[in-house]
Structures are given as C-alpha cells and as structure tokens.
Amino acid sequence: MCSRPVPREPLHRVAVTGGTHGNEMSGICLVRHWLQAPGELQRPSFSAVPVLANLAAIAACRRYVGCDLNRTFISTFLTAKASPDDPYEVTRARELNQLLGPKASSQAFDFVLDLHNTTANVGTCLIIDTNQDVFAMHLCHHLQLQNPELPCRVILYQRPGEERFSLSSVTKNGISLELGPQPQGVLRADLFSQMRALVAAVLDFIELFNQGTAFPAFEMKAYSIVGTVDFPRTKDGHLAGTVHPRLQDQDFELLQPGAPIFQMFSGEDVLYEGESTVYPVFINEAAYYEKGIAFFQTKKLTFSVPALPALTSACTPGP
Amino acid sequence: MCSRPVPREPLHRVAVTGGTHGNEMSGICLVRHWLQAPGELQRPSFSAVPVLANLAAIAACRRYVGCDLNRTFISTFLTAKASPDDPYEVTRARELNQLLGPKASSQAFDFVLDLHNTTANVGTCLIIDTNQDVFAMHLCHHLQLQNPELPCRVILYQRPGEERFSLSSVTKNGISLELGPQPQGVLRADLFSQMRALVAAVLDFIELFNQGTAFPAFEMKAYSIVGTVDFPRTKDGHLAGTVHPRLQDQDFELLQPGAPIFQMFSGEDVLYEGESTVYPVFINEAAYYEKGIAFFQTKKLTFSVPALPALTSACTPGP
C-alpha cells in the first residue's frame, strides 16, 4: 500500500466502469446507456470512457462467474502467464489492466470511477483505498459539499499491509461509488438517478481541477475498516441465525459492546462482544455471506487532508 | 385446470418446502432449521415434513441451475422418459413428484406449503392456483382473520386454460407463501419471524380441520392475474428504462390508465395504456427480468367460497 501522488497534469484519460459485479444493476444500465449516448460523459477538457467490466457475469446476471473480479487486480494475477485454466475474471482483469492500466505505470488512465450497488442500507457511500489518496479525498469532500442533503460517507477499504486489489487500483487515481440498498438483479429508479447525478458531480470536479482550481486543506471524517464479523453458523457452515432486527439497516450507526447483533434460529440473541464501539457497514450484504462476513467493523476517524494545489498547466476549454 | 375436491379425511401427510428457488432465503433457512429441530412442525394429528426442494440451486444460491423448478411440474416433464440431457430441475421435479405425489394420484401428500420470497414490496402474500381450491381459500381466509394487522393478500396465479405447473400442484392441496421485499441471497430477521409465524398458523388451521371444525361460507377478495407488462427495452433486448418511482413498491395499489409506469433512461415517462384500472403485483421482481415481466396486472375480484364441512371422521388428539 502506498500513497498515490497528487496529479500534476490535467486528467484527460478518465473511465467510468459498471458491472464489475454482474448483478449490480445501476452501473450496468448507466454504462450501457452511455455506450449508446456518451454526451453526458463529456466535459470541456475530457470525455470519460464508459466500460462494462465483467461481461460474462453481466450476461449471467451474477456477481461473477469464476471469482470476484474486484479482488483480482493484484500482481499475482496480472503478471502471471495466461493459462487456459484461469478463471474468466483473471483473464478479464488482464484485459482491463491493458485497457485502463497497466497498473502503476505512467501509461495508466488518470482516473476511474467504478459503480457498485449493495443490498445493505449504506445510502450513498464513497470507497477509496486509503486516506493517502489525496486527490480522491478531495473529490469525496467535494461530493459531500455538493450534496449536503445526502449523508455521503467515505469508507477506507484497504487494510494495512494489503496489496490494492480492486479495479480502481489499476488507474492513477480512482474511487468506487456504492449505493444501497438495492437487491441484486434489480434496477430501482431512485438509485439510478442518484448514481447518475453523482457521476456528473465527479466529472464536474475533475473538470474544475483540470481548469486550474485549487482546493484548500480540510478535515474529513471517514470510516476505516478494522475487522469483520461472520454470521453464527452450524458445524456444517450453514446459518444458525441472522442479523438482529435492531442491527439490520443500521449501517454507520454506533454499535456498543453488549448490543444484540444476531438472532439465533433457536431464539436467543447474540450480543456484540467487541471491546469498543464500532460503526458497522455492509450489514447483511448478499454477496458477503459466502465470504463469511455479516458486517464490517469500522472506526470513524478524522483525517487532515492537505491542500490540492492548482495545476500550473491547466487546460483551457475547447472552442 | 380443475378444482380440487374438498378433503373428506384428515390431512395427515403434510409437507413444508423451502428453496424451490435457491436464493429465497427465508424458506431455506426455516426448513434447514426444522430438519434439525422438527418440533415446531408437529401437531396432535400430524407432523409436517420439511423438504428442501431445489438442492443444487440452494448450494449455488441461485434461483435455479438449469430451469425454473416451479414451472416444471407438468405432465410433459413428469411423465417423459428420463434423459441425461434433462436439466437438473426436471430430474428434481420427478424426484419431488415421487416424494410428494404422484401428482393427481390418491397416494399424493394431502397438503404442501411452499415458502417463497420476492424482491417486490408485496408484504405477506398467499398464492393459490384458482378460486376453485376451496380448502386453500378457507386457509387463506383463516390467516387473514388471524392476522388482522397484516394485509395478507391472496393471488390467484393460474391463468385460464393453463396446466398447473407449480410445486404445490403435486399434492392434493397446497398454497405458496410469498413474503417481500427481501433481496435474493439475503435473510432478514423480520421476514424470517413473520414466515415462521405464518407456517405455524397454517399448521394450526390444518389441525383445526383435522379435529372436526367446520368453516362457514364467506366472501373473499383475491387478486387474479390477467396479464403482464415488460420493461421498455432496446432493440438488443437490454433495459431502456425502469419501473417509475411512482409505481415502485406500490404492489396491490390501484393503477389507472395514464399513470406513469416506467422512466426511460433518456428521460421521458412511459404511461400506462391499459383500458381499465388494474392492481400491479410483483413490481420489479429480480427473477422476472429474464421472463420479460416488469409487473403482473391483476383484477381484484370478490369470490363466494362455500362452507368447508366438518369431517365426519375427525381425528381425536393423541394421548
């Protein structure tokens, strides 16, 4: 894990990706629409490129067909010799690395916005790898200022020492947009419109930056992932209980030690045994059952983000 | 389609099935629990048998692996010679037909309760094939009387002239319980508890009947399916718009001609062009995208249901 340098040049090569998970419909439908009608993705200094990421999974309307694409952008997969036994997503990760990267190279795209949905009640959520991503932190702050009516929370997803593994790690800068709750395989008009407006606001921010706008330093709260909690399970690994009604849909709300987190099928409550308060997120997300995660534990931290200086070589708008 | 004769004997052979669709979690988790702890399914005159229906789909957490099991209980599949090319669900339908049927035979189980979830906002919904199922209509009426706080609506699913195709058609009597909204692959504690209570109430009704209770004639409102409406689509078959925010989550609410039903990605509204008012149900159900159904149109009809006479050979409770 290393910090991403603040851009010193305008961001011209920008991508918007949907369908990294093939059953998260808002991004899939937006990107498909923009592939036919790209006007919305144009700004004076750049045109964002719409990309459908996991084509096979989108066709099957499943999160993935072989393995989770959004965990495959690591050097083990990206640099290994291709084999006919590779899962589809490993092959596709290499293709996307060629298209948008190569990762950590000077040829990589300047920015990617990766569009996601969750079944959890997270509202509007911005996911960045670490607080060291200064450009991304400024972008998130801008979105929060632009949308005072939306709780537009920032999650720092990367754990200390982890290699960046997500699609957004392939480009020089990037964030993921996560909107919920929306069932897998369903497109809700409200979330579709909200995601569309947020994408526009992201592109507007990049345009401001490209035009030479400076952004002052600020302090920002963000939720940093510190652990995960699995469902109670039988010895066969099946569910033995589920998320407690008092925890369900309470993403980003304080969870105290001793509060109920699960309701067992046999009737008892399971209480939270953590040593300190946490803020649970991605509570009861469908895709995480198989990963052994009923919710993530996060800490709410305040970060001082340095100023984003104006470009010295800012664009002038086209004619 | 033919009416099912009113039972003249106690119902001893009763099954409760979950996982007919492998990603509808309430029934799967209840049935799995009852396979280990069947006490809740026992009544003085019978013990209901818990059955996981679509084993391969449950393991994959998908609706089905080859084809929709709940559409395969038709004579074409049940009576054809087995072939290695048969989809898994056709083979499984034959197994379930042996276990719970054979369909339309005197050896068939007396009753099956088939447990389902939907992503649509239907609340508590009871699905029976036709208003000619007198025993099922009485059961539904009983559940409505027992749960005055729940809008416990009855849908008549079978279209005129259609062969019965659902799992519940294999036994002498049966209904499906449909609770929503719940995302595919997610278990919500509230719906789990609600389904559990409804199953208990169904078994209690059967027990009352077995003990010799007579049930008087009554009038009942039910929603009869009269048609379906597909999403707006591009020439490639992809979505060109989605359910309008004013229709989303409005299952069982009156839809007038001229009201908006879809919002196109290009911005315009699509208005309902039906000739008369209908009551839409299963609005924006994830599993119906591939079936070309954005919602079902139903008519709300009132039926006169004849009395259910007391058994002359009622059970006496065991010691």
Side-chain angles (χ1 to χ4, degrees):
Chain A
M1 192 168 75
C2 57
S3 64
R4 287 163 146 170
V6 168
R8 303 287 180 204
E9 299 287 334
L11 283 64
H12 290 302
R13 299 175 69 218
V14 174
V16 180
T17 48
T20 298
H21 296 132
N23 53 13
E24 296 177 8
M25 298 290 279
S26 305
I28 294 168
C29 292
L30 278 170
V31 166
R32 261 210 197 109
H33 176 67
W34 289 327
L35 285 166
Q36 300 302 316
E40 274 174 69
L41 300 185
Q42 293 165 9
R43 294 294 179 276
S45 66
F46 70 98
S47 292
V49 179
V51 177
L52 287 174
N54 193 331
L55 300 171
I58 294 167
C61 198
R62 285 157 55 187
R63 184 175 177 90
Y64 58 81
V65 294
C67 62
D68 191 333
L69 176 63
N70 213 29
R71 306 290 182 278
T72 55
F73 295 92
I74 54 176
S75 60
T76 316
F77 292 132
L78 297 181
T79 61
K81 194 163 172 292
S83 147
D85 296 334
D86 286 335
Y88 167 78
E89 280 82 4
V90 169
T91 306
R92 184 64 182 149
R94 292 192 190 110
E95 292 169 1
L96 291 165
N97 191 44
Q98 286 307 307
L99 179 68
L100 303 175
K103 183 171 175 169
S105 77
S106 60
Q107 295 86 56
F109 262 56
D110 296 312
F111 189 88
V112 66
L113 175 61
D114 193 31
L115 305 179
H116 289 264
N117 294 118
T118 168
T119 64
N121 187 31
V122 301
T124 299
C125 192
L126 311 167
I127 300 183
I128 63 184
D129 285 347
T130 89
N131 68 312
Q132 302 298 308
D133 289 358
V134 172
F135 183 82
M137 294 286 270
H138 273 275
L139 166 57
C140 293
H141 185 60
H142 178 80
L143 294 177
Q144 290 174 334
L145 295 175
Q146 293 286 306
N147 297 278
E149 77 294 353
L150 278 184
C152 204
R153 278 109 166 191
V154 176
I155 295 180
L156 306 175
Y157 201 86
Q158 210 79 12
R159 309 279 285 278
E162 257 182 349
E163 183 182 357
R164 293 179 193 249
F165 49 66
S166 67
L167 186 147
S168 65
S169 72
V170 168
T171 53
K172 291 177 187 160
N173 283 282
I175 71 166
S176 300
L177 195 52
E178 185 82 66
L179 297 195
Q182 181 171 268
Q184 296 178 340
V186 168
L187 181 72
R188 287 184 63 98
D190 48 1
L191 293 198
F192 181 86
S193 300
Q194 198 177 321
M195 186 175 272
R196 193 174 198 165
L198 285 159
V199 172
V202 169
L203 302 185
D204 290 345
F205 173 81
I206 295 173
E207 179 63 24
L208 282 175
F209 177 76
N210 284 355
Q211 298 302 342
T213 309
F215 297 89
F218 60 96
E219 297 228 312
M220 189 166 74
K221 290 193 170 50
Y223 297 81
S224 184
I225 290 176
V226 294
T228 62
V229 176
D230 192 12
F231 292 93
R233 296 190 185 260
T234 67
K235 62 179 169 21
D236 302 324
H238 297 310
L239 296 185
T242 192
V243 169
H244 197 279
R246 285 171 57 187
L247 180 61
Q248 177 71 46
D249 301 328
Q250 301 302 308
D251 300 73
F252 297 107
E253 299 295 327
L254 196 68
L255 176 67
Q256 304 271 12
I261 52 174
F262 297 116
Q263 198 166 61
M264 301 295 286
F265 300 155
S266 52
E268 318 89 76
D269 285 351
V270 175
L271 307 183
Y272 183 56
E273 293 185 345
E275 290 180 0
S276 59
T277 58
V278 290
Y279 294 82
V281 300
F282 291 114
I283 299 170
N284 218 350
E285 154 59 36
Y288 291 165
Y289 280 61
E290 67 172 21
K291 296 183 197 287
I293 299 173
F295 61 89
F296 285 88
Q297 300 153 292
T298 74
K299 293 282 181 190
K300 186 155 80 172
L301 303 174
T302 302
F303 298 95
S304 295
V305 181
L308 183 61
L311 290 176
T312 50
S313 60
C315 306
T316 49
Chain B
M1 191 169 75
C2 57
S3 65
R4 286 163 147 171
V6 169
R8 302 289 182 203
E9 299 288 334
L11 283 65
H12 290 301
R13 300 176 70 218
V14 174
V16 180
T17 48
T20 299
H21 296 131
N23 53 12
E24 296 176 7
M25 298 290 280
S26 305
I28 293 168
C29 292
L30 278 170
V31 166
R32 262 209 197 109
H33 177 67
W34 290 328
L35 286 166
Q36 301 300 318
E40 275 175 69
L41 300 185
Q42 292 165 7
R43 294 295 179 276
S45 66
F46 71 98
S47 292
V49 179
V51 177
L52 286 175
N54 192 332
L55 301 172
I58 293 167
C61 198
R62 285 157 54 187
R63 184 176 176 89
Y64 59 81
V65 294
C67 62
D68 191 333
L69 176 63
N70 213 29
R71 306 291 182 275
T72 55
F73 295 91
I74 54 174
S75 59
T76 315
F77 293 132
L78 298 181
T79 61
K81 195 164 171 293
S83 146
D85 297 334
D86 287 334
Y88 167 79
E89 281 81 5
V90 169
T91 305
R92 184 65 182 149
R94 291 193 191 111
E95 292 170 0
L96 291 166
N97 191 44
Q98 286 306 307
L99 178 69
L100 303 175
K103 184 170 174 170
S105 77
S106 59
Q107 295 86 55
F109 261 56
D110 297 313
F111 189 87
V112 66
L113 176 60
D114 193 32
L115 305 179
H116 289 263
N117 294 119
T118 167
T119 64
N121 186 31
V122 302
T124 299
C125 192
L126 311 167
I127 300 183
I128 62 184
D129 284 349
T130 89
N131 68 312
Q132 301 298 307
D133 289 359
V134 172
F135 184 82
M137 293 286 270
H138 273 275
L139 166 57
C140 293
H141 186 57
H142 178 79
L143 295 176
Q144 289 174 333
L145 295 176
Q146 294 285 308
N147 298 280
E149 78 293 353
L150 280 183
C152 202
R153 277 109 165 191
V154 176
I155 296 179
L156 305 174
Y157 201 86
Q158 210 78 14
R159 308 280 285 278
E162 256 181 350
E163 184 182 357
R164 291 177 194 252
F165 49 67
S166 68
L167 185 148
S168 66
S169 73
V170 168
T171 54
K172 290 177 187 160
N173 283 282
I175 71 166
S176 300
L177 195 52
E178 185 83 67
L179 298 195
Q182 182 171 266
Q184 296 178 341
V186 168
L187 181 71
R188 287 184 63 99
D190 49 359
L191 293 197
F192 181 86
S193 300
Q194 197 176 322
M195 186 175 272
R196 192 173 199 166
L198 285 160
V199 173
V202 168
L203 302 185
D204 290 344
F205 173 81
I206 295 173
E207 180 63 24
L208 283 174
F209 177 76
N210 284 356
Q211 299 301 344
T213 309
F215 297 88
F218 62 94
E219 297 227 312
M220 191 166 74
K221 289 193 169 55
Y223 297 80
S224 184
I225 291 176
V226 295
T228 62
V229 176
D230 192 13
F231 292 92
R233 296 192 186 259
T234 66
K235 62 179 168 21
D236 302 324
H238 296 309
L239 295 184
T242 193
V243 169
H244 197 278
R246 285 171 57 186
L247 180 61
Q248 177 71 45
D249 301 328
Q250 301 302 308
D251 300 73
F252 296 108
E253 299 295 326
L254 195 67
L255 176 67
Q256 306 270 13
I261 52 173
F262 297 116
Q263 198 167 60
M264 302 296 286
F265 300 154
S266 52
E268 317 89 74
D269 286 351
V270 176
L271 308 183
Y272 183 55
E273 293 186 343
E275 290 180 0
S276 59
T277 58
V278 290
Y279 294 82
V281 299
F282 291 114
I283 298 169
N284 218 351
E285 154 58 37
Y288 291 165
Y289 280 61
E290 66 172 22
K291 296 183 197 288
I293 299 173
F295 61 89
F296 284 88
Q297 300 153 294
T298 74
K299 292 283 182 189
K300 185 154 79 171
L301 303 173
T302 302
F303 297 97
S304 296
V305 181
L308 184 61
L311 290 176
T312 49
S313 60
C315 306
T316 49

